[in-house]
């Protein structure tokens, strides 16, 4: 099966979502790289352990959001390729 390249508006949409997903990945990397010792002495602050957990949770959520954005734009683009009156794969051999 050969897929045609996206049209102009689809290409712009794909590019915007790609930039959004790169920003989300960058934010996830920043969340993962936060060191809890930047926020003070770990022995003096009881909430310090929560920072370890929350930076990991936030990083994973942002990374999954970036993946979700890529999947969403791919699914939307693939659906736009099919015409609504002709389902894919239901053509006669003479139409191919």
């Amino acid at each position: 099966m050969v897929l045609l390249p996206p049209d102009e508006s689809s290409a712009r949409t794909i590019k915007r979502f790609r930039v959004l997903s790169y920003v989300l990945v960058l934010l996830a990397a920043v969340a993962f790289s936060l060191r809890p010792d930047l926020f003070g002495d770990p022995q003096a602050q009881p909430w310090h352990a929560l920072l370890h957990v929350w930076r990991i949770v936030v990083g994973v959520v942002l990374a999954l959001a970036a993946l979700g954005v890529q999947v969403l734009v791919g699914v939307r683009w693939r659906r736009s390729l099919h015409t609504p009156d002709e389902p894919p794969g239901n053509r006669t051999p003479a139409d191919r």
Side-chain angles (χ1 to χ4, degrees):
M1 184 165 130
V2 176
L3 292 178
L4 299 173
D7 61 350
E8 190 70 28
S9 67
S10 293
R12 281 193 307 269
T13 301
I14 290 170
K15 185 175 182 177
R16 285 182 193 136
F17 279 109
R18 186 174 292 154
V19 169
L20 175 63
S21 100
Y22 289 154
V23 168
L24 289 172
V25 167
L26 180 66
L27 290 174
V30 168
F32 280 130
S33 68
L34 286 177
R35 291 186 327 224
D37 58 340
L38 293 175
F39 299 101
D41 181 25
Q43 303 298 327
Q45 299 169 350
W47 52 269
H48 191 77
L50 290 177
L51 187 58
H52 281 292
V53 174
W54 282 109
R55 70 184 180 99
I56 293 170
V57 169
V58 168
V60 168
V61 166
L62 288 170
L64 289 176
L67 179 64
V69 165
Q70 288 294 313
V71 169
L72 177 71
V73 74
V75 167
R76 283 180 54 194
W77 176 65
R78 290 288 299 247
R79 283 188 183 163
S80 72
L81 293 177
H82 301 295
T83 57
D85 36 323
E86 181 183 326
N90 289 338
R91 294 181 295 194
T92 63
D95 292 341
R96 293 184 195 161

